Amino acid sequence: MKIDILTLFPEMFDGFKNESIIKRAIDLGKVTINTCNFRDFSKDKHKKVDDTPYGGGQGMVLMCQPIFDALKSLKKEKSKIILLSPQGVPYNQKKAYELSKEEHLILVCGHYEGFDERIKSICDEEISIGDYVLTGGELPSMVIADSVIRLIPGVIEEESHLNDSFNNNLLDYPTYTKPRDYNGMKVPEVLLSGDHEKIKKWRCEKQLEITKEKRPDLIKPRFVLKKEGIKKSGRRIKIDDVKDIKVTIIKDNKNKSYKVIKEEKLVAITIFNPKELKGYKLKGKSKDGGITKILIVKNDFAFKVALKNIHKKIDVLSNRLNMALFERNDNKTRKVLTEAEMLKQMIISTYQEYIGKKVLDKEIKKINKLVEDFTKNQF
């Protein structure tokens, strides 16, 4: 990956590039980080890059010309240009994963009162690292670069970031190291038990407990049905008003389902002709010829969720087969082979309508191959 940073203060990045994991990633050739002083592109004889705002007001505004020219000199076919500003979309771990798959990032650092609005036209995204204002975009660019670089394969051990906070919408569990007792504060006994299943359960419980306490917004159902131009009569919506419905689905972790939520309660909506909503699956209890407590899931979203769940279950089966192979126990062998057969039946009955026969057959073949390899090695 290549990262170019447009800044008026390139010296600020000297320490960032020459310490810790970032330096190692650069030395390994996993990432290249360059700074570009867009003042060098100013056509003003005094290298001016800002001016007073039209309409009056305090402060200075960054001008189009230096930044446009700097970006044009750096931009390639697969470049992604990100403008850093308090008005941007909030940054999170999901976005970090998305950006880690890019080949070339260009981060544009602001200063003064902000950017000329027209600069946004040449950028792909506008990102904010939080609801507060900094003196410039240099620190946000370091935050984004750091969070992205550590996710590049080979920079750190994959397991180190797979268990990161926010990866499953939960904060991380507590961790401890030696000594066992420090000033009367003891390490929880479960972590000293050697029972990995109990430890795993304890960690999951702690993740949930800590998230509920510190960040309930991560697991609390939120308003997820976005409607544009829909006229409502009481709690009913006519199908003519729902043709352009836009839906965002969020997972209800407690019930392990996807629901349309409004103010933490199910929305009671009557749809007179669900077939009009092309590209969506609708499920719900029938009432007065309509549907209430409606569940709307976009087909491609349901496909991704179903496939992800299948892959998780196949991974669990693979681990159990390996354990049974290592232990060479006839009872466990029979049990895990029975589980493999049950998993195939469950996938067929539960997920076929979401992933289709072609993809379904491919996943079943994976299970058959695992069982085949296990049988060969077992006997």
Side-chain angles (χ1 to χ4, degrees):
M1 174 185 279
K2 182 181 180 183
I3 300 177
D4 282 306
I5 302 171
L6 264 65
T7 173
L8 293 174
F9 303 98
E11 298 82 5
M12 288 181 67
F13 295 87
D14 291 344
F16 175 74
K17 293 190 293 180
N18 290 294
E19 300 293 339
S20 190
I21 290 172
I22 304 300
K23 183 179 187 300
R24 187 173 69 190
I26 294 171
D27 292 342
L28 288 172
K30 300 294 182 180
V31 66
T32 302
I33 304 176
N34 298 314
T35 53
C36 172
N37 190 335
F38 55 86
R39 192 182 297 279
D40 295 338
F41 290 82
S42 174
K43 293 181 179 178
D44 181 83
K45 65 178 180 179
H46 300 297
K47 294 297 180 182
K48 187 177 180 181
V49 294
D50 60 332
D51 211 328
T52 54
Y54 280 119
Q58 295 295 315
M60 305 290 279
V61 178
L62 288 170
M63 301 159 64
C64 291
Q65 179 272 313
I67 294 178
F68 264 75
D69 287 355
L71 288 173
K72 286 176 182 177
S73 73
L74 295 171
K75 188 176 181 180
K76 306 295 180 185
E77 184 179 350
K78 295 186 177 181
S79 301
K80 191 174 192 70
I81 303 174
I82 297 171
L83 191 70
L84 304 169
S85 84
Q87 288 79 36
V89 174
Y91 189 63
N92 56 28
Q93 187 71 2
K94 182 182 177 182
K95 177 57 69 174
Y97 271 106
E98 288 178 17
L99 297 182
S100 70
K101 294 176 174 59
E102 299 288 341
E103 291 183 16
H104 183 204
L105 296 178
I106 303 177
L107 306 177
V108 186
C109 304
H111 259 280
Y112 313 120
E113 278 301 303
F115 299 93
D116 184 303
E117 189 69 16
R118 291 166 290 189
I119 292 171
K120 296 177 184 178
S121 67
I122 200 174
C123 299
D124 299 304
E125 288 189 52
E126 189 175 1
I127 289 178
S128 166
I129 64 164
D131 295 338
Y132 46 85
V133 179
L134 299 170
T135 55
E138 283 72 23
L139 290 176
S141 70
M142 292 181 202
V143 168
I144 290 173
D146 186 289
S147 64
V148 167
I149 291 168
R150 66 188 298 275
L151 298 177
I152 298 173
V155 173
I156 62 173
E157 292 291 334
E158 186 178 21
E159 191 175 340
S160 296
H161 63 74
L162 286 180
N163 293 322
D164 282 343
S165 294
F166 308 111
N167 272 1
N168 55 357
N169 257 25
L170 297 174
L171 300 181
D172 207 356
Y173 50 78
T175 56
Y176 300 83
T177 188
K178 298 174 183 177
R180 291 187 177 188
D181 187 328
Y182 181 75
N183 290 346
M185 295 179 285
K186 297 180 180 180
V187 175
E189 286 298 321
V190 66
L191 299 179
L192 309 173
S193 67
D195 188 326
H196 295 294
E197 283 301 315
K198 284 185 178 179
I199 293 171
K200 184 177 180 181
K201 183 181 177 182
W202 179 85
R203 285 173 171 170
C204 288
E205 289 172 352
K206 284 298 178 182
Q207 279 190 283
L208 214 69
E209 182 184 312
I210 291 168
T211 306
K212 283 180 178 179
E213 180 187 345
K214 297 181 178 179
R215 290 292 304 277
D217 57 295
L218 293 176
I219 54 177
K220 185 172 67 175
R222 293 172 289 171
F223 176 74
V224 297
L225 181 61
K226 297 180 181 178
K227 305 177 287 294
E228 292 186 1
I230 296 178
K231 297 177 182 177
K232 290 188 284 186
S233 174
R235 291 178 68 80
R236 289 173 177 264
I237 302 176
K238 293 182 180 180
I239 190 63
D240 290 337
D241 299 319
V242 189
K243 286 180 180 177
D244 296 323
I245 194 167
K246 290 188 177 181
V247 180
T248 304
I249 302 297
I250 194 165
K251 187 173 182 181
D252 180 345
N253 289 304
K254 183 177 179 181
N255 298 316
K256 296 183 179 178
S257 61
Y258 295 83
K259 296 180 179 178
V260 177
I261 304 292
K262 183 178 181 181
E263 295 175 356
E264 301 178 38
K265 294 180 182 178
L266 282 168
V267 180
I269 303 174
T270 300
I271 304 292
F272 295 98
N273 185 4
K275 291 181 181 178
E276 292 290 329
L277 285 175
K278 295 179 181 178
Y280 294 86
K281 292 185 184 299
L282 285 77
K283 293 184 180 180
K285 295 180 181 178
S286 179
K287 183 179 179 182
D288 300 329
I291 295 177
T292 59
K293 293 185 178 178
I294 190 170
L295 171 66
I296 306 176
V297 181
K298 197 171 182 181
N299 287 344
D300 61 351
F301 181 84
F303 174 89
K304 290 175 184 177
V305 171
L307 201 58
K308 185 176 181 180
N309 288 342
I310 291 170
H311 289 164
K312 283 183 178 179
K313 295 178 189 302
I314 292 176
D315 286 343
V316 170
L317 175 65
S318 177
N319 290 333
R320 290 184 177 175
L321 287 167
N322 286 330
M323 289 290 291
L325 190 63
F326 177 78
E327 294 177 9
R328 301 278 179 177
N329 182 295
D330 289 342
N331 287 332
K332 289 192 175 180
T333 296
R334 284 193 294 271
K335 186 177 179 181
V336 77
L337 288 175
T338 301
E339 287 178 8
E341 199 58 35
M342 290 174 65
L343 177 58
K344 286 194 289 185
Q345 295 304 318
M346 186 276 290
I347 290 174
I348 291 169
S349 62
T350 306
Y351 294 110
Q352 183 167 352
E353 69 170 303
Y354 300 108
I355 63 175
K357 190 175 186 308
K358 186 176 179 181
V359 178
L360 178 74
D361 290 344
K362 185 178 177 182
E363 299 306 316
I364 296 298
K365 283 180 182 178
K366 287 181 184 178
I367 298 174
N368 290 338
K369 184 69 169 60
L370 284 173
V371 172
E372 182 184 339
D373 292 343
F374 170 80
T375 307
K376 284 179 181 177
N377 287 295
Q378 182 75 17
F379 304 105

